[in-house]
Amino acid sequence: MYSLSSQKKYWTFKTEQELAELRVKQNVRFITKHGAGMTEEQKQAHFLSADEERLLLKQYELQLKEFCKRFEPPMPKYVVGTAFHYFKRFYLNNSSMDYHPKEILATCVYLACKVEEFNVSIAQFVANIKGDRGKAMDIILSNELLLMQELNYYLTIHNPMRPIEGFLIDIKTRCNMSNPDRLRPGIEDFIDKTFLTDAPLMYAPSQIALAAVLHAASKEQENLDSYVTESLFGSAKDKLPVLIEAVRRVRSMVRTIELPPKDRVRFLEKKLEKCRNQENNPDSQIYKQRMKKMYEDEDDLDVMGSSYHMNVSDASLDVSQLNTTNPANMTID
């Protein structure tokens, strides 16, 4: 139930300003850490600003949407919704300069597939990725635990898909609309657009679902005002103003989506490559050396473990031989 969920308690925010402040905080923290010794002018020229990070992340949200759309086998909408939630949450706690969005994006989708029980193997998953699939597999698996940690292990996501089905069933039962299923294309288009806004971080799934249904109905020249005021909230009219405002805000957010300018995105991509944290860049020598050391440490632990098991085995053998040659040793004084 959403009202008792970790999503509502820890990951639902009241205003866009609150979200903006969290993003600025991560931007400032990264620049303070990695820009020591630089002047303010040098920092501005070298690092991404909070607004530039936000613009770049919007571009990667578009890429996330397209990746899920092209995915084989076809990906259910609730898996897509969960992946978007993970991606948005991750960058409330981190800067895109610390962890490149293209790497976190794939990890978010992969984790969403697992959590939502959309069963695809890692080999099937990376088959949907262009380029070096072995490298992609390593990046995804190495980032999976990091992602879960940054989500504070709150992995259950309540998406608007189930409330949408409830509304459509209810409309068929208590409304005179002919063939409510004709609203589905408009609803799906609206939900896809909400993923490109902050609505999933601010509003309940049922509020987003109702906004989608009302939007689709208006596109079909259908009026559901009386259904909302009389059927849904006839006995709870005191809650109606809050709902109306939430629906209005969600629809406004969808209506005012702006796509990032391509030339601006290309410039920011180049800037990001220069200022990103090289310790988290799989192509950097620092990263490769760190991973090599980690694997060597793991090998050392494996050797120590094998040595331990061998010693235990040898000791057991010696005791066995001792007891066989001298049964008196079994006696406890």
Side-chain angles (χ1 to χ4, degrees), residues 199-230:
L201 296 172
M202 295 176 60
Y203 298 101
S206 58
Q207 294 173 331
I208 296 173
L210 184 58
V213 170
L214 295 177
H215 172 81
S218 68
K219 291 289 184 183
E220 293 291 326
Q221 281 76 50
E222 295 284 356
N223 191 319
L224 292 177
D225 289 351
S226 60
Y227 165 73
V228 173
T229 57
E230 301 302 327

Side-chain angles (χ1 to χ4, degrees), residues 32-83:
T32 301
K33 180 180 178 180
H34 295 274
M38 289 185 180
T39 65
E40 286 304 313
E41 291 76 12
Q42 289 172 328
K43 289 178 182 178
Q44 289 177 11
H46 183 68
F47 296 108
L48 298 176
S49 68
D51 288 340
E52 287 173 333
E53 282 200 74
R54 187 74 191 111
L55 186 68
L56 200 54
L57 287 172
K58 285 183 178 180
Q59 175 62 27
Y60 278 99
E61 287 179 350
L62 288 170
Q63 291 186 20
L64 195 163
K65 177 184 173 184
E66 287 304 309
F67 177 73
C68 294
K69 185 178 179 180
R70 296 193 313 267
F71 196 89
E72 290 294 336
M75 187 178 291
K77 280 281 190 228
Y78 58 84
V79 179
V80 181
T82 295

